Amino acid sequence: MQARNHRFPPDPWCLREDAPDPATHFLNETLFALGNGYIGVRGTAEEGWSGPGGTSRDGTYLNGFYESESIHYPETAHALAKTNQFMLNVPNAKGIAIWVEEERFDPLQGRLENYQRSLDLRRGVLERSLTWTSPSGRSIALRSRRLVCLDNRHLLAFEVEVTPLNFSGTVRIVSSLDGAVQNLEAGDDPRIGSAVSGASLQLLSAEQEGDFCALVQRTRNSGFMLVSATLTEVDGKGTVEAQCSRDGLRLEQTYALPAVQGEKITVRKYACYHTSRDYPEDELLTRSCDVLEVALRGGFDVLAARQAAYLADFWQQSDVEIDGDDLLQQGIRFNQYHLLQSVGRDGKTNISAKGVTGEGYEGHYFWDTEIYIFPFFLYNKPEIARALLEYRWAGLESARRRARQMSHPKGALYPWRTIAGEECSAYFPAGTAQYHINADIAYSIRQYLDATGDDAWLRAHGAEIVMETARIWTGIGTYDRHGSFVINEVTGPDEYTALVNNNYYTNAMAQAHLEFAAAIAARLAGEFPEDYARIAQSMDLAPGEPEEWANAARLMLLPYDTALQIHEQDDSFLSKKRWDFANTPPGNYPLLLNYHPMVIYRHQVCKQADVVLALLLLSARFGQDDKRRDFDYYEAVTTHDSSLSSCIFSIIAAEVGYADKAYDYFMETARLDLDDTHGNTCHGVHTAAMAGTWLGVAYGFGGMRTDGGSLRFAPTLPARWQGYRFRIQLRGCLLQVGVNGAGTTYRLVQGEALQFTHHGKPVALTAAQPEHQEAA
């Protein structure tokens, strides 16, 4: 990576901006966004932005709060997705405009000095300080702080301090709640925006009394009620005047203050959002008032202290430390922080591809959660991992309905992209056809059970999900004339290869899924017969079904080319013409934006890891030589147009001994958003790639594997690092793995004993004594 790409000083715990710049403002709105898994607020300043058009996309988002619109097809077909759901841009509660006499504070007007904006990853606070001189010569010092409470999903808070430096007179503070917001409309890039145009929220009422104001609205089609409310406190306030726009969508409170040179004026503002997805409609306004009153009584400093305490606990459990590379350290911590900000943790919400930082992919949840993001939370915040599985449990009935729509008389088929559980993918070759979503969810459940031993959750929820989704494989698959079990007309992870027979990843993951489902059925029948009977009755499970799953798994066709000695991505992949990489202009990537899908589909070209991903997830089923040959072949035909790709190639490169490639791919992932290497971070962060950074350390350089229920490590030390450390939670233990030039040290931070292997050697670790393994 070239140094010219690094726009931020390499502070391991902070992201710092030294000047507001229209050229980077749109991107920085994403990078300086704050969230708590429910609320997300883009990093536009309280006074707004007056820069050129196209340099800002202000937004406030609520995870799981959505509007719906019918999907219109010029030519429709049976069981195509009928309705889209998209995350809404909700009323902007952060507005605090400042008027110095009759001049409005605007950093792009007048003279700006001593500017600094910083996101503190340890304290979870966005701070800004500056000195501004108006066009007429009046100067102020301004300091602002902002946080979105990690321990109260409904609450965010702002504090702005204004100090007149060379004048006394009048300063006016205008606090606003602005409901005149809209979502980004879709353009030529299918990853950005929604098809809806116009406002999606209808105003029911506007409430305004003293320092309090609220907008009560309802979505037009999904029918949810939303209450957005603010409470403003101004120290030493003079007169207050309330205004409401003619359409009722913008509420303002203006405070005219006598300003004395050198004396600070402080504004504190608290805001909250409540919706009928969580509470009865008649409680929303009362709950909003209660939350704001409690916040006001405690004050901003109390909220900031609680935020710091929450993050101290998070970092104590999950911090990844890199010795010798501050740029990389900054990237890793930035990614982990944004994951925490983005993930739903209530069992009703998930984590979208862009988190709560932008409107890319419309706030939809994908398989990214289970395969890329879930491991990070499983081994760092397992209670959040469980909540993500609870979300899938809540969607089981919708998955059953989707299976019936797709002509499966039994079983459950989870949606490829969704918010509330219904399929929202309008392009089925790269959506519904990705049946592997079922196996991905089952895989995450198996990981969870191996890591936690949570049999109670298995019996209550997990077993039914795994078995209902396994039924789909025996529904879609069949036995060919040679007696092999085949799965036809599906799309694997590689979205540049669609609607194929026997996609290797799909078949291999389906095999593991079917084996797991059969084993669960046998275990429950033997150890928990009452639970098994209950689940079997709920599913109308026929006698012999689990045996059918086991048989299909045993006879699963896994394409392999004996001449090349590689696993074939599907039955036809190696028969296709290779993409002409040498004559493809650099500006034509990503291919999906420059070529018709059929042009791409008829070529041998991959958007992302497919077979290579199977090598990681089912690691124990492959030998090192197979992994190396597969890596070599598929690396040559992969564009990495997907942000999900580089981290997987990094991990397998590390495993097969390609140290330089492993490091290069890892670096592409680690600072993907900070350096905007895919050119679209302005529309939201890439949560899967962020989680892929953690995977790259733990699974890649740490050599960690857990498939098969055993814990294994095979650490290596990148040549450019002096050392690194990461922690994982497993079976009630907190294990620290530290690697440096002298070797690897394992230490139990919590727990009494843990067993695993180090480069194949058994280790029985106890709390009393760390284990050190010398470097080879």
Side-chain angles (χ1 to χ4, degrees):
M1 302 183 79
Q2 300 182 19
R4 61 182 173 84
N5 290 331
H6 303 315
R7 299 187 298 107
F8 302 103
D11 188 319
W13 283 106
C14 184
L15 190 66
R16 190 166 62 252
E17 174 189 66
D18 293 323
D21 183 355
T24 58
H25 185 267
F26 197 178
L27 170 62
N28 286 0
E29 285 180 349
T30 295
L31 301 181
F32 286 94
L34 295 181
N36 62 6
Y38 180 62
I39 302 172
V41 181
R42 284 177 63 82
T44 300
E46 289 78 11
E47 69 274 2
W49 176 253
S50 66
T55 61
S56 177
R57 181 62 192 169
D58 204 353
T60 303
Y61 310 105
L62 304 180
N63 189 4
F65 181 71
Y66 66 91
E67 174 62 312
S68 57
E69 285 278 336
S70 296
I71 300 173
H72 299 287
Y73 300 93
E75 297 182 28
T76 190
H78 177 73
L80 294 182
K82 301 299 183 185
T83 305
N84 187 32
Q85 300 161 353
F86 56 94
M87 182 175 68
L88 279 174
N89 189 0
V90 299
N92 178 5
K94 65 177 174 287
I96 302 175
I98 301 165
W99 292 78
V100 178
E101 296 294 352
E102 298 305 316
E103 295 175 291
R104 180 167 177 162
F105 163 63
D106 183 343
L108 299 185
Q109 305 296 322
R111 186 173 74 251
L112 191 66
E113 298 174 303
N114 306 316
Y115 178 96
Q116 185 175 98
R117 180 166 66 153
S118 61
L119 174 58
D120 188 320
L121 304 178
R122 273 185 291 208
R123 296 189 296 120
V125 177
L126 181 65
E127 297 189 64
R128 183 177 56 149
S129 61
L130 57 90
T131 302
W132 179 75
T133 302
S134 73
S136 69
R138 295 182 180 88
S139 297
I140 61 171
L142 182 143
R143 177 175 179 260
S144 67
R145 295 191 293 168
R146 176 190 306 179
L147 61 84
V148 179
C149 298
L150 289 164
D151 64 351
N152 186 330
R153 68 196 300 260
H154 299 288
L155 182 64
L156 58 158
F158 311 86
E159 182 182 76
V160 177
E161 297 174 346
V162 182
T163 305
L165 297 179
N166 64 354
F167 73 97
S168 296
T170 300
V171 168
R172 284 187 295 135
I173 305 295
V174 181
S175 175
S176 62
L177 176 61
D178 189 359
V181 295
Q182 294 186 5
N183 275 61
L184 185 66
E185 291 186 41
D188 293 333
D189 189 335
R191 301 167 296 179
I192 301 169
S194 63
V196 70
S197 60
S200 296
L201 287 165
Q202 297 176 307
L203 182 65
L204 301 181
S205 67
E207 312 290 333
Q208 202 165 16
E209 181 179 352
D211 300 316
F212 171 82
C213 64
L215 291 171
V216 182
Q217 297 169 290
R218 189 182 301 281
T219 56
R220 292 180 180 274
N221 298 318
S222 56
F224 300 123
M225 182 182 284
L226 165 69
V227 172
S228 313
T230 67
L231 187 60
T232 304
E233 176 186 44
V234 179
D235 287 354
K237 70 183 180 187
T239 59
V240 58
E241 178 184 350
Q243 297 96 21
C244 178
S245 62
R246 182 170 298 178
D247 59 9
L249 286 173
R250 181 180 174 88
L251 306 179
E252 294 182 350
Q253 288 134 332
T254 300
Y255 301 86
L257 305 163
V260 178
Q261 182 176 342
E263 294 187 7
K264 180 174 61 179
I265 296 169
T266 303
V267 183
R268 299 180 190 88
K269 183 176 183 179
Y270 308 95
C272 65
Y273 298 91
H274 290 81
T275 84
S276 59
R277 284 211 74 191
D278 298 310
Y279 306 106
E281 291 185 359
D282 59 1
E283 295 182 10
L284 300 182
L285 198 55
T286 300
R287 286 181 177 272
S288 298
C289 292
D290 291 345
V291 166
L292 295 177
E293 288 291 345
V294 170
L296 180 67
R297 287 197 300 270
F300 190 97
D301 287 341
V302 168
L303 297 178
R306 284 168 31 194
Q307 188 89 333
Y310 186 101
L311 284 168
D313 178 70
F314 171 72
W315 291 119
Q316 192 274 335
Q317 295 179 62
S318 63
D319 190 23
V320 173
E321 299 173 273
I322 307 295
D323 297 331
D325 192 331
D326 284 348
L327 278 169
L328 181 57
Q329 181 70 82
Q330 180 185 49
I332 291 174
R333 286 185 177 138
F334 175 82
N335 291 345
Q336 291 181 255
Y337 180 79
H338 262 283
L339 287 169
L340 181 66
Q341 289 198 137
S342 297
V343 67
R345 59 203 72 173
D346 58 0
K348 300 178 183 178
T349 54
N350 200 286
I351 180 169
S352 75
K354 296 290 189 178
V356 282
T357 65
E359 296 171 39
Y361 293 113
E362 302 174 273
H364 288 161
Y365 314 137
F366 294 80
W367 73 308
D368 305 26
T369 298
E370 280 74 25
I371 297 304
Y372 291 83
I373 301 169
F374 184 83
F376 169 75
F377 287 108
L378 176 60
Y379 297 113
N380 292 284
K381 295 283 283 185
E383 66 273 19
I384 293 180
R386 176 169 174 156
L388 292 172
L389 294 181
E390 293 285 356
Y391 168 82
R392 291 301 189 184
W393 168 253
L396 183 58
E397 286 305 316
S398 292
R400 284 176 169 134
R401 289 193 295 270
R402 183 59 178 160
R404 304 301 168 269
Q405 293 167 3
M406 293 298 294
S407 302
H408 299 292
K410 56 187 177 181
L413 177 61
Y414 276 93
W416 179 244
R417 56 189 295 177
T418 188
I419 294 178
E422 291 74 34
E423 178 64 79
C424 295
S425 179
Y427 185 63
F428 74 87
T432 297
Q434 298 205 47
Y435 268 64
H436 66 82
I437 182 68
N438 270 14
D440 303 329
I441 292 169
Y443 185 88
S444 69
I445 291 173
R446 184 167 192 165
Q447 280 191 303
Y448 175 76
L449 296 173
D450 287 344
T452 66
D454 190 353
D455 278 348
W457 192 84
L458 169 69
R459 292 155 58 191
H461 305 309
E464 191 165 350
I465 296 174
V466 171
M467 292 194 292
E468 273 284 54
T469 51
R471 286 173 143 177
I472 295 299
W473 300 121
T474 51
I476 191 177
T478 189
Y479 294 91
D480 68 8
R481 60 193 177 92
H482 303 293
S484 296
F485 189 81
V486 297
I487 301 174
N488 295 327
E489 213 65 21
V490 295
T491 299
D494 170 30
E495 293 180 351
Y496 284 172
T497 309
L499 299 176
V500 296
N501 296 341
N502 297 308
N503 167 256
Y504 188 90
Y505 175 91
T506 301
N507 283 25
M509 290 290 283
Q511 180 185 55
H513 184 181
L514 289 164
E515 292 170 350
F516 184 37
I520 283 178
R523 184 185 171 207
L524 290 183
E527 297 180 26
F528 308 102
E530 292 182 1
D531 290 301
Y532 183 73
R534 172 182 52 79
I535 294 168
Q537 183 178 18
S538 173
M539 293 174 53
D540 193 20
L541 187 68
E545 273 195 77
E547 289 76 13
E548 184 183 354
W549 302 336
N551 192 59
R554 182 174 59 84
L555 297 174
M556 183 71 67
L557 178 64
L558 299 172
Y560 188 82
D561 186 276
T562 54
L564 295 174
Q565 293 185 290
I566 66 168
H567 297 94
E568 190 173 3
Q569 185 164 305
D570 58 71
D571 285 353
S572 62
F573 188 81
L574 297 181
S575 302
K576 295 176 179 177
K577 177 183 178 181
R578 278 205 178 195
W579 187 269
D580 186 1
F581 293 98
N583 293 308
T584 301
N588 281 16
Y589 295 94
L591 301 183
L592 67 99
L593 298 184
N594 295 283
Y595 300 92
H596 190 282
M598 290 298 296
V599 175
I600 300 173
Y601 293 165
R602 66 173 63 103
H603 283 86
Q604 195 177 142
V605 59
C606 298
K607 181 183 181 186
Q608 63 209 86
D610 194 299
V611 169
V612 176
L613 179 57
L615 302 180
L616 169 62
L617 301 185
L618 304 172
S619 179
R621 303 185 182 211
F622 303 92
Q624 288 297 96
D625 290 340
D626 278 328
K627 291 177 182 178
R628 188 174 294 107
R629 286 191 297 267
D630 284 349
F631 180 94
D632 290 343
Y633 189 89
Y634 289 105
E635 183 190 31
V637 295
T638 302
T639 66
H640 306 292
D641 284 349
S642 169
S643 63
L644 281 63
S645 189
S646 294
C647 61
I648 304 303
F649 273 81
S650 172
I651 294 167
I652 300 304
E655 183 176 4
V656 300
Y658 296 158
D660 289 342
K661 287 185 177 183
Y663 194 81
D664 289 344
Y665 280 124
F666 176 76
M667 289 301 290
E668 287 182 21
T669 302
R671 290 185 60 94
L672 185 149
D673 283 312
L674 280 181
D675 296 331
D676 195 24
T677 58
H678 279 234
N680 61 357
T681 296
C682 59
H683 297 294
V685 299
H686 299 76
T687 54
M690 287 177 154
T693 306
W694 183 86
L695 294 176
V697 175
Y699 286 18
F701 304 124
M704 175 178 160
R705 297 291 185 274
T706 59
D707 58 305
S710 62
L711 178 62
R712 311 189 299 280
F713 294 99
T716 58
L717 180 65
R720 299 177 218 186
W721 296 359
Q722 298 168 13
Y724 64 96
R725 288 164 298 284
F726 65 93
R727 294 180 171 188
I728 65 165
Q729 293 191 52
L730 190 73
R731 297 278 177 153
C733 295
L734 180 60
L735 171 68
Q736 178 173 284
V737 182
V739 183
N740 58 27
T744 304
T745 299
Y746 299 96
R747 183 170 68 89
L748 275 181
V749 180
Q750 297 172 8
E752 296 302 318
L754 192 64
Q755 294 185 344
F756 52 88
T757 63
H758 170 87
H759 286 288
K761 175 184 175 181
V763 175
L765 185 65
T766 66
Q769 183 65 43
E771 176 77 19
H772 180 75
Q773 297 287 333
E774 297 290 335

